[in-house]
């Protein structure tokens, strides 16, 4: 089964309605089952990937920004710098939608 790691605070967001994850670069994620694993504890959650698309960070839809917990593109860029310090709005990202 395909897997992705989530930091603890991001993992907690799954319980609060997080339905999208955005990753820098082009990730090979298939539709179907995906296992989220916490980065530092043993928590896991299986979700169903329903959509994957690739775009520049600047072109992520407003709906997907909100579903990942961001207010707008600038908020997303600033918060993603925690994981990707050099990220810019021109970088390609993979948007993974799940339920």
């Amino acid at each position: 089964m395909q897997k992705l790691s989530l930091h603890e605070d991001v993992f907690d967001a799954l319980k609060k309605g997080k339905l999208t994850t955005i990753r820098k670069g082009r990730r090979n994620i298939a539709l179907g089952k995906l296992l989220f694993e916490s980065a530092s504890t043993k928590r896991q959650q299986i979700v169903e990937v329903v959509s994957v698309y690739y775009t520049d960070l600047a072109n992520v839809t407003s709906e997907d920004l909100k579903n990942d917990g961001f207010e707008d593109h600038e908020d997303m860029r600033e918060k993603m710098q925690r994981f990707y310090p050099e990220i810019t709005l021109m970088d390609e990202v993979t948007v993974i939608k799940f339920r």
Side-chain angles (χ1 to χ4, degrees):
M1 178 180 300
Q2 55 192 350
K3 299 177 186 180
L4 285 176
S5 292
L6 292 177
H7 284 266
E8 288 304 310
D9 59 326
V10 179
F11 202 95
D12 290 340
L14 292 174
K15 293 180 182 176
K16 298 177 183 173
K18 177 180 173 74
L19 296 171
T20 301
T21 187
I22 301 167
R23 303 295 173 110
K24 183 178 178 187
R26 186 172 284 258
R27 304 289 181 102
N28 187 18
I29 301 293
L31 300 183
K33 302 288 184 202
L34 170 71
L35 176 65
F36 281 126
E37 295 181 310
S38 65
S40 61
T41 66
K42 301 292 182 193
R43 293 193 294 173
Q44 298 180 331
Q45 183 168 335
I46 296 173
V47 297
E48 178 89 17
V49 176
V50 296
S51 175
V52 177
Y53 70 92
Y54 310 99
T55 188
D56 293 340
L57 192 59
N59 293 321
V60 174
T61 69
S62 295
E63 176 184 2
D64 289 332
L65 291 174
K66 287 183 178 35
N67 285 336
D68 199 4
F70 303 116
E71 294 178 22
D72 55 32
H73 286 89
E74 188 56 30
D75 179 51
M76 175 181 53
R77 186 192 63 76
E78 288 174 6
K79 289 180 179 169
M80 286 184 75
Q81 283 182 327
R82 170 179 161 202
F83 307 109
Y84 311 107
E86 303 297 321
I87 198 164
T88 71
L89 292 175
M90 300 306 294
D91 285 323
E92 184 178 42
V93 294
T94 302
V95 180
I96 305 160
K97 298 166 130 184
F98 54 87
R99 59 174 178 232

